[in-house]
Amino acid sequence: MSKKIIPIIQTANRLDNWLATTQMQTTTGSLLDTRQRPLQDLRISVTDRCNFRCTYCMPKEVFNKDYPYLPHGDLLSFEEILRIAQLFVAHGVRKIRLTGGEPLLRKNIEDLVAMLSVLRTVDGEAIDLTLTTNGALLGRKAQALKDAGLSRITVSLDALDDTMFKRMNDVDFPVGDVLDGIRAASTAGFTNIKINMVVKGGTNDQEVIPMARYFKSSGHILRFIEYMDVGASNGWKLDEVVPSAEIIEKLEQAGMRLQPLGSQSASETATRWQHSDGQGEIGFISSVSQAFCHSCSRARLSTQGKLYTCLFASEGHDLRALLRHQQEDQVDQRLSHLIAQVWQTRDDHYSEMRHQQTDLTQRKKIEMSYIGG
Ligand code: SAM
Ligand code: SF4
Ligand code: SF4
């Protein structure tokens, strides 16, 4: 028996014992955790690889040729992803986001989109199926993604200035190609495209105003994201976080007047604003300065099939072990039960505790490229 199989079987046995002690729960329609937060969103990481080396996410020094990326056989297949996603939807998930690593690097990703797009919520509505990409391959893929049934798209873009953009992606990728990708997404029929900019103090913060001006009348929604202490590789420092309040101040000093917009759903991560002339929505994702754990309804499925209930979790729950090592007729029931158990015992609220417990930021955390942003 190969070394790699042993721990998986052991995990499956441990899960067996645990599941045997609790009553089976399947297709509940809705699940609440210990803080009364419903399970509504599922983020699925389809690859741990990326063609960028953003310094705040996959710095070159760590993610180099010696980095132990997952072998292909460790990744969930599209059929496995669909099977697990169906169980989450039966537990109340309404929105699925494909992410990574860079999701457009996963071969035939549009096939997975087509498979997931037919899912219906427990109320019979279409699933809100979205994808977050760095945009590098969007020019080539946008139409296929739209045709496959992707509902919406988010593009990450940290600068408009080409030199700064290349500094952020650290692989010399030109900003013009990402802007072409965004145009291709528009042409393919995507609307309300979201543009995510991570603002890192002392690095790309001078790009805030050009970005706000550029996207004001584009029809796209620009969102500023506070730099977070995810993973263990980016050397995060609190003084490099630019709080959203400071960005609003910067925009106002530059002559832009903003007015708040109401939130569209309770679990929304961004606070929404628009220019006072009614043109251009701007969002702020203030994970550090104004934690939104109280409404966090997101579960995350890692590239190799582990379930995480928080971006800052240290350990995941191995769904793949159950999926690949159980007898066929029991698999779905057991997986469904495990998902319910995990969610109903969830108490995560890392961002609310970050400032209270200084040792917290030092604890072991998984990488964003593995778990998906
Ligand atoms: N590669 C795709 C992309 O960049 O859009 C998808 C995966 S990426 C991990 C998802 C999102 O996480 C991106 O918008 C990225 O900017 C954000 N992100 C990564 N590391 C971050 C950090 N340390 N703080 C805040 N956001 C981060
Ligand atoms: Fe890649 Fe996205 Fe991470 Fe940048 S943020 S390194 S594009 S996964
Ligand atoms: Fe959700 Fe964890 Fe982020 Fe809080 S810290 S919003 S619980 S992912």
Side-chain angles (χ1 to χ4, degrees), residues 297-312:
S297 56
R298 289 178 292 286
R300 292 178 154 85
L301 183 63
S302 79
T303 314
Q304 60 182 156
K306 287 192 179 174
L307 165 61
Y308 291 86
T309 54
C310 179
L311 193 49
F312 299 92

Side-chain angles (χ1 to χ4, degrees), residues 50 52-54 56-58 100-102 134 369:
C50 189
F52 283 11
R53 286 292 174 274
C54 305
Y56 54 74
C57 179
M58 295 179 75
E102 173 46 44
N134 61 24
S369 50

Side-chain angles (χ1 to χ4, degrees), residues 279-295:
Q279 263 201 327
E281 181 177 330
I282 296 192
F284 294 90
I285 302 184
S286 319
S287 337
V288 180
S289 69
Q290 278 174 288
F292 39 78
C293 300
H294 58 91
S295 60

Side-chain angles (χ1 to χ4, degrees), residues 50 56-57 99-103 132-134 154-156 158 196 198 225-230 234 368-369 372-373:
C50 189
Y56 54 74
C57 179
T99 176
E102 173 46 44
T132 305
T133 172
N134 61 24
T154 299
V155 182
S156 304
D158 296 329
N196 277 358
V198 173
I225 304 182
E226 289 179 353
Y227 172 39
M228 287 187 288
D229 49 332
V230 275
N234 62 10
M368 189 118 160
S369 50

